[in-house]
Amino acid sequence: MRAMWTNSRKSRCLRRVAVAACATLLVGCSASAADQTSAPEQPHRCGQVNGVKSGPQTGKATCESYVLGGDGNRASADADGDGSTAGAIAGSLARFDDGKSKLTSDDNSSFATATHGAGALARSGVNGEGAQGTSGNSAVARADHPKAFANASAANGDDNSATANADGCVGTADNACAFSAAGNGDRNSATADSDGKDSIAQAGALDGDRNTSSARSRAGGRASGSAQGGDGNSADSQATGNGAFASSQATGGDSFALARAEDAKSTASAIARLAAVVRAFASMGATATATATGRGFTAYAFASGAGTTASATHDADTDTGSCSGPGVAFAMTGGTFRCVQGF
């Protein structure tokens, strides 16, 4: 009996020792885990509205906003992420040697947003080339991912709007991968949208009234749209794929130009002048070019397949179309097929 009691007491002691040892081990493990857990990283974030901080300013993000030379202007800049930079200016965009502008502009708005190390710049109002008393312009620039840069400018007129979106492309303040400009007239609109590495989008709606320009690039494509010189021009470009290029130009008033380049290394160019209507489509590495000049004149080019080309030209002096290559292509001017290739 005494031996059994002794063994029982030893067993209870061993259990208590084991429990204590385990508790000590757990405490040690907890302490070790705590030692290995670093303090949370400081966020990189800032915001400004009309030159006044709109929230916590922390880390390595940079924001600047200015309202100058006018009434009712609004400038907002927000940046989130290490190295992100956002700038917004509304009102007078040019200051002279005395630090003041000789021109004023009212009720303009600029919004710039940059995230994940990107840069964005939005400007609206009037610059040294504009006229006194312009108002109601709007610029919006958004950029996401490191090295992307968006630049939007709406100025020198009334009710112009410019939008630039840069997502994952690579640009700088001097050479944005998404750039839009609207102005030098009234009610012009420009939109540039660039998505993906090596993508570039540039849109301009300028030097007239009611001009509209849109440029969209994806997956390494380059798109350029220009609607300017006269009123009511429309230019629309879209490029998708590495090395794809789409360019549309509409000038002289009431002109329409549409360019689509789908797939890598495809090229589409559409040029419309003096109220002409032009469309160019290229895919699978082909090249399509269409040009028309004058009201009532039209040109349409379609090409698909590497090494395939289509060209259409239509104006008062020229009415031609040509096609070549192993793919599918046709050119049309004034409702007449000029060639059919590859069918």
Side-chain angles (χ1 to χ4, degrees):
M1 178 67 69
R2 180 177 178 82
M4 291 178 61
W5 180 86
T6 301
N7 289 337
S8 176
R9 186 172 62 179
K10 287 181 179 179
S11 179
R12 287 197 297 272
C13 283
L14 289 174
R15 283 200 298 271
R16 285 197 294 269
V17 170
V19 170
C22 185
T24 301
L25 181 61
L26 289 174
V27 170
C29 289
S30 299
S32 177
D35 292 341
Q36 294 177 4
T37 303
S38 59
E41 183 180 354
Q42 183 185 31
H44 306 278
R45 187 176 301 124
C46 65
Q48 276 193 17
V49 176
N50 294 359
V52 179
K53 294 180 181 180
S54 59
Q57 315 290 299
T58 60
K60 297 179 181 178
T62 303
C63 298
E64 294 186 16
S65 64
Y66 302 94
V67 285
L68 307 167
D71 298 322
N73 295 305
R74 178 179 173 83
S76 175
D78 291 283
D80 190 347
D82 189 356
S84 296
T85 302
I89 307 172
S92 178
L93 305 181
R95 287 184 289 181
F96 295 86
D97 293 339
D98 58 1
K100 299 179 180 179
S101 174
K102 298 178 181 179
L103 301 173
T104 62
S105 184
D106 302 332
D107 300 320
N108 303 288
S109 60
S110 296
F111 299 92
T113 303
T115 54
H116 299 106
L121 176 62
R123 297 169 291 178
S124 64
V126 62
N127 61 29
E129 300 175 353
Q132 174 69 22
T134 60
S135 65
N137 300 292
S138 174
V140 178
R142 306 183 186 92
D144 187 36
H145 293 300
K147 298 183 180 181
F149 203 100
N151 189 335
S153 177
N156 299 348
D158 297 335
D159 303 317
N160 298 296
S161 64
T163 302
N165 297 304
D167 188 355
C169 53
V170 178
T172 64
D174 295 327
N175 191 18
C177 54
F179 175 79
S180 65
N184 298 341
D186 302 331
R187 298 183 299 282
N188 298 294
S189 176
T191 301
D193 192 342
S194 181
D195 186 353
K197 185 180 178 182
D198 298 326
S199 295
I200 297 174
Q202 299 174 326
L206 302 161
D207 303 332
D209 300 334
R210 305 183 312 280
N211 295 305
T212 302
S213 177
S214 175
R216 296 180 299 279
S217 61
R218 298 286 184 274
R222 294 180 297 133
S224 173
S226 175
Q228 64 184 87
D231 304 332
N233 298 298
S234 178
D236 189 332
S237 296
Q238 181 171 314
T240 303
N242 189 34
F245 177 68
S247 174
S248 59
Q249 300 177 44
T251 64
D254 297 323
S255 297
F256 176 83
L258 175 70
R260 294 284 187 272
E262 302 292 337
D263 309 313
K265 298 182 180 180
S266 298
T267 299
S269 175
I271 302 174
R273 307 184 184 98
L274 301 174
V277 175
V278 173
R279 295 178 174 86
F281 294 85
S283 63
M284 300 179 66
T287 299
T289 304
T291 304
T293 303
R295 187 175 298 278
F297 290 92
T298 61
Y300 177 44
F302 172 89
S304 180
T308 301
T309 65
S311 176
T313 303
H314 195 201
D315 56 38
D317 300 319
T318 308
D319 187 3
T320 62
S322 64
C323 305
S324 65
V328 178
F330 60 84
M332 184 173 69
T333 59
T336 301
F337 283 101
R338 295 298 169 182
C339 62
V340 177
Q341 174 73 27
F343 286 95

